[in-house]
Amino acid sequence: MAKSAKETGSDDATSDKVEGCPRHVAIIMDGNGRWATQRGRPRLFGHHAGAKRVREIVESCPDFGVKYLTIFAFSTENWKRTQVEVAGLMSLFRRYITKETRHLQERGVRVRFIGDRVRLDSKLTKLMNELEEATADNSKVNLTIAINYGGRDEVARATQRLAQDVAAGKLDPESVDEETLPRYLDTYVLPDPDLVIRTSGEARISNFLLWQSAYAEYEFIDTLWPDFTRAEFGELCASYGNRDRRFGGVKR
Ligand code: FPP
């Protein structure tokens, strides 16, 4: 069944825009493996360094007018990695949640997770649910962490639920339009991203927020994720303010 923002207690997405700032930034945190390899260390060393960066970037959001931050932590394709790396990442997510809960609370961060939880370990999903519940009243920053997330998978799951509503007579197929499908997406309470950043020099979007980023601005930067700083984040947010977003229209 589709959810409305009201049902889920989301923020009023139109009331929190700071002029010239990206309200919603989405980040593909790439380059942890190369960062570790450059130092002769195992890939997981890079992921641990990457997790530390997350704290600094989340903390800096209010300074740059960023109300929503969505980060790509594990894709539906990342299961193809070695069992050691996958298990290490899952353990890192559990550790991150356990260690960061207090700090996130103190900073007024509301945490949400997107992605298909079915394949995730029950210990991890329990922690995810608890963190979502514990931070549900916070509203300073909205942090969304994508775990076992893929844009195509998300659209497929959304379409399945939409089709179920049609079959149950709850939705008229004739009424389905561009506003209908987003209500079935994992991101139904979030505004679309204004700015998508990918670190590590790769210029592709790798199945991240495919529907939601239709009109996002993109920044592909060479910095490897564990080297990404608050200063660089600030520069990218400031340069977003100079972009001319026309959404297919003409400048007025
Ligand atoms: C891509 O770099 C990164 C990932 C698949 C994992 C992202 C995870 C983190 C940044 C750390 C944990 C996050 C949280 C929320 C605790 P890569 O491994 O593909 O790097 P490479 O392209 O250099 O090999």
Side-chain angles (χ1 to χ4, degrees):
M1 183 66 180
K3 299 272 191 353
S4 72
K6 205 172 163 209
E7 268 178 275
T8 56
S10 82
D11 299 344
D12 173 8
T14 54
S15 64
D16 46 23
K17 191 143 181 55
V18 180
E19 191 56 36
C21 297
R23 178 175 50 171
H24 184 176
V25 178
I27 307 184
I28 302 172
M29 309 179 288
D30 196 12
N32 296 346
R34 274 163 285 168
W35 187 90
T37 304
Q38 283 170 5
R39 285 158 180 78
R41 303 295 298 267
R43 294 176 57 81
L44 275 168
F45 181 69
H47 295 314
H48 280 265
K52 289 189 190 130
R53 284 292 130 186
V54 171
R55 178 189 268 212
E56 182 180 321
I57 300 308
V58 172
E59 273 179 5
S60 70
C61 283
D63 298 341
F64 307 130
V66 176
K67 191 82 185 172
Y68 295 84
L69 179 72
T70 299
I71 54 176
F72 205 1
F74 193 89
S75 76
T76 44
E77 288 72 38
N78 286 152
W79 297 104
K80 294 179 202 155
R81 297 186 177 206
T82 65
Q83 204 268 331
V84 169
E85 186 170 350
V86 170
L89 277 165
M90 294 300 151
S91 151
L92 177 59
F93 299 146
R94 289 196 300 271
R95 222 171 96 161
Y96 173 83
I97 295 173
T98 310
K99 274 184 63 186
E100 288 298 294
T101 299
R102 211 176 107 195
H103 184 256
L104 291 161
Q105 288 285 30
E106 283 166 6
R107 299 275 166 164
V109 180
R110 178 171 188 173
V111 183
R112 298 178 177 91
F113 292 91
I114 54 170
D116 190 355
R117 298 183 196 197
V118 168
R119 197 171 166 185
L120 300 177
D121 175 271
S122 61
K123 268 191 274 175
L124 174 59
T125 53
K126 184 169 179 287
L127 289 169
M128 288 160 64
N129 293 335
E130 285 168 1
L131 183 59
E132 284 183 330
E133 274 169 36
T135 61
D137 291 334
N138 297 340
S139 59
K140 199 164 181 199
V141 176
N142 291 272
L143 171 66
T144 302
I145 305 177
I147 300 183
N148 194 25
Y149 174 87
R152 288 180 174 181
D153 177 69
E154 180 192 31
V155 171
R157 286 185 286 107
T159 308
Q160 194 179 83
R161 289 196 296 271
L162 188 150
Q164 282 163 352
D165 278 358
V166 169
K170 294 178 190 161
L171 182 68
D172 173 8
E174 298 290 326
S175 74
V176 174
D177 60 17
E178 280 190 29
E179 313 273 301
T180 316
L181 189 72
R183 295 206 296 268
Y184 291 83
L185 294 174
D186 296 351
T187 53
Y188 53 86
V189 293
L190 306 178
D192 285 344
D194 300 298
L195 176 64
V196 178
I197 298 170
R198 183 178 188 141
T199 57
S200 94
E202 312 286 358
R204 53 177 177 264
I205 57 168
S206 300
N207 206 7
F208 190 41
L209 301 175
L210 295 181
W211 174 283
Q212 300 87 339
S213 298
Y215 278 100
E217 300 292 325
Y218 283 87
E219 288 279 5
F220 298 103
I221 57 165
D222 288 335
T223 310
L224 302 177
W225 174 254
D227 290 328
F228 188 65
T229 60
R230 168 202 173 90
E232 195 166 8
F233 185 47
E235 280 164 26
L236 295 174
C237 292
S239 110
Y240 166 87
N242 300 323
R243 302 255 189 144
D244 174 22
R245 299 186 78 193
R246 295 191 298 277
F247 300 94
V250 288
K251 204 171 179 182
R252 277 180 231 160

